[in-house]
Every structure is written in C-alpha cells, then in structure tokens.
Amino acid sequence: MSTNKVIHAIYNDDDILMDAVKASRAAHHHIEEIYTPFPVHGLDKAMGLAPTRIAIASFLYGVVGLTVAANLLNYMMIVDWPQDIGGKPSFAFYQNMPAFVPILFELTVFFAAHLMVITFYLRSRLWPFKEAENPDVRTTDDHFLMEVAVNGNEEDMISFFKNTGAVEVKVIDKH
C-alpha cells in the first residue's frame, strides 16, 4: 500500500488564504483541496478551476418543469375532465393559457430548485449518513485549510507555506 504525503496549511483569514493560493499556483504546487467555513468569493478562479455549468443545468431543469406542467395541465383540464370554471371554455389549451400561467411558473421553479439540490448532492457525493471528510474540525468554525501534495523538498514547502501566512503547517500521510 502506497502512502502519499500532503501538507495541511491552516490560515485564519480568507484574504491571506487567497494570497497563499495565488502564491502556491505561481510556485506550481498542486492544491488538492481547500476547506473553508464559508464560501470565499473568487477562490475558484484563484485555484484555476474550470467554470461551472450549473446555470445550464438549472435552465434545462426549468424547461423540464415547464414541459411537465404544460402537459399535466393540458391533460387534466382539457383532455381528462374539462370543466367550465368562471365561464372559460375548455376546448383548447391556448384558450385557458392566462389562467394556467401561475401554475406553469410555479412548477418550473419547483422542478428547477429540487433537481438542482439533487444534482448538488450527487456531484458533491453527499450521500445520506456519509462520514465527514473534513481533515480539521476548525475549518467548520473560523479557520481555512489548504491541502497541497508534497512534490519535492518537504522542508522547503513547509517554510514556503509559513511565509505565505499559515498559522500552522502539518505534513500528513494520506493512505
């Protein structure tokens, strides 16, 4: 069984973390993961992560919701059991469209929101009853942890991260 060494550099300020990420990327250190207690604006770009396609997924989920809503309303109100409600004719979907707009909107938002949450959990691999993968409990409160693969002289990397403003630097054997 092979072991990989990683460095856990712990920071207590998000601005210092951002500067450290930029310095680490400039020094060509491979950042494995960053653990933060809250979202840090611009961290994804500083890490060099690819842009997200979440907006495209959200739009497609909204289209699915609109399609399901339109077909559901057409079937229920026109095909299956047409009713004369408020003197509106039940001969065609387009004739009742103004009355259907709120339901179409609500089901579009419903599908987009719920499918986005499901997509988030699947992409994040957050299954029910999953054990936490957080390496340091302080990152859920007020500290930031940058996990960097050791790829060279360990002592030089430790001094590099201490110079970037890390309050604590540890070398960990990852199995």
Side-chain angles (χ1 to χ4, degrees):
M1 173 157 70
S2 66
T3 61
N4 299 344
K5 287 188 176 184
V6 293
I7 290 180
H8 285 177
I10 298 175
Y11 299 88
N12 58 5
D13 186 56
D14 56 339
D15 292 328
I16 296 171
L17 172 73
M18 285 292 287
D19 294 337
V21 167
K22 291 173 186 172
S24 299
R25 294 229 336 131
H28 302 293
H29 295 300
H30 178 67
I31 300 171
E32 297 280 335
E33 188 67 67
I34 295 181
Y35 299 90
T36 63
F38 53 83
V40 178
H41 181 71
L43 187 59
D44 52 347
K45 288 186 182 180
M47 288 177 65
L49 299 176
T52 180
R53 296 182 301 267
I54 199 105
I56 296 168
S58 179
F59 175 75
L60 292 176
Y61 294 154
V63 169
V64 168
L66 183 64
T67 304
V68 167
N71 286 323
L72 182 70
L73 283 171
N74 184 51
Y75 177 75
M76 286 190 314
M77 300 301 288
I78 306 302
V79 176
D80 186 40
W81 194 332
Q83 298 177 25
D84 185 3
I85 300 172
K88 294 182 176 137
S90 298
F91 304 122
F93 182 80
Y94 70 89
Q95 290 175 326
N96 290 343
M97 184 65 142
F100 294 161
V101 168
I103 298 165
L104 292 170
F105 172 76
E106 290 298 331
L107 280 177
T108 300
V109 172
F110 178 85
F111 270 71
H114 285 79
L115 290 174
M116 287 299 295
V117 168
I118 292 168
T119 301
F120 170 75
Y121 285 137
L122 291 176
R123 286 290 293 149
S124 301
R125 296 188 177 119
L126 291 174
W127 320 119
F129 310 110
K130 182 180 181 205
E131 293 287 327
E133 295 177 3
N134 199 351
D136 194 324
V137 73
R138 293 176 291 177
T139 60
T140 61
D141 189 21
D142 61 350
H143 282 72
F144 305 86
L145 186 141
M146 180 168 40
E147 186 176 274
V148 182
V150 174
N151 60 356
N153 188 350
E154 195 174 297
E155 295 302 320
D156 290 343
M157 289 183 73
I158 291 172
S159 65
F160 171 80
F161 287 111
K162 284 189 179 182
N163 290 335
T164 62
V167 294
E168 185 179 324
V169 179
K170 296 186 281 189
V171 179
I172 306 292
D173 284 330
K174 249 184 142 173
H175 299 286

